[in-house]
Structure formats: structure tokens, C-alpha cells
Amino acid sequence: MLISEVHGDVEVVKVGYEVKGRVLYWVYLYYYKGILFDTGCPHTAQEVFDYFKDREIKAVLITHYHEDHIGAAKLFGEITDVYAPPESLEILRNPPEIPEYRKIGWGQPEGFEAKPVSDT
């Protein structure tokens, strides 16, 4: 499920995976001037990608490696650059197996390549 709201120049997108008719936990991502900040969870990856695929995406910025932030990053990496903090790069390439309860709510992330965010 995806719900979008625009606040000035920022689009806030709320996404969640329904289990037995209700979203267990909402996650948020942001779109600002062609930059996508985070990409939701693996269960909502295709929905997020489809929502943004016809828009200008200059780059994707992953704030950190948790599964509720990186779900569609691999898909976006096929069309644009994906950036992440240097300390997150290895875990993004090789995400660990997550606990079952997190798999139910968000899904197991797939590995992908990201570029390091610079200091500027």
C-alpha cells in the first residue's frame, strides 16, 4: 500500500505491506528535486519502483542499511546511481538473514551495489 502527500517541494510517500488486511508498520521515503531518499521495504519494492519509474530520478540516497529503507534500491540501481554512507556499503552488498518477524513485516532484502556518499 502506498500513500503520497506533498509538502512544498517535498513528497512524502508512506508505504506498508498488508498482513491479513492491515499494514503492520508504515515506513516513509521522500522525493525532493529528483532525489529519492530511501526506497521502502522489500515487500513494497515493486510498488515503489512503479510509482517513481516515469519520474526524473537523479539519484537515490539510502540513509542506512535497514530493510525498511532499502527495499527498492536494487531496482533503482538499474536506472540511476544509488548512494549510501560508506559504513553501510558492505552490508548492502551482503545483507544478513533477518529475523522471521521482520521478514513478515518488511521482507528479506537483496544485496545491491551502492556508491559512497561524499562528505559534501
Side-chain angles (χ1 to χ4, degrees):
M1 179 177 282
L2 186 147
I3 299 170
S4 171
E5 295 179 359
V6 176
H7 301 275
D9 291 339
V10 179
E11 182 175 4
V12 180
V13 180
K14 180 168 96 167
V15 294
Y17 179 66
E18 288 185 64
V19 176
K20 295 187 177 184
R22 72 182 260 256
V23 173
L24 298 178
Y25 185 77
W26 292 99
V27 298
Y28 295 84
L29 49 118
Y30 305 89
Y31 179 78
Y32 176 73
K33 296 187 177 182
I35 307 296
L36 185 60
F37 294 83
D38 291 330
T39 63
C41 63
H43 283 326
T44 62
Q46 192 63 54
E47 184 176 16
V48 169
F49 183 76
D50 289 346
Y51 182 76
F52 284 103
K53 71 180 177 187
D54 294 327
R55 298 213 221 165
E56 177 186 33
I57 303 287
K58 297 175 187 174
V60 173
L61 176 62
I62 299 299
T63 58
H64 63 286
Y65 61 82
H66 288 150
E67 64 274 2
D68 55 323
H69 296 260
I70 65 171
K74 184 174 184 174
L75 294 171
F76 283 105
E78 296 173 8
I79 63 169
T80 193
D81 291 327
V82 177
Y83 295 90
E87 60 273 11
S88 295
L89 298 178
E90 181 55 34
I91 201 163
L92 293 174
R93 275 187 219 99
N94 300 295
E97 189 77 15
I98 61 172
E100 192 64 30
Y101 75 94
R102 287 166 44 193
K103 286 181 190 177
I104 292 168
W106 294 302
Q108 176 65 44
E110 293 183 43
F112 65 93
E113 290 294 324
K115 297 179 177 186
V117 174
S118 69
D119 291 339
T120 54

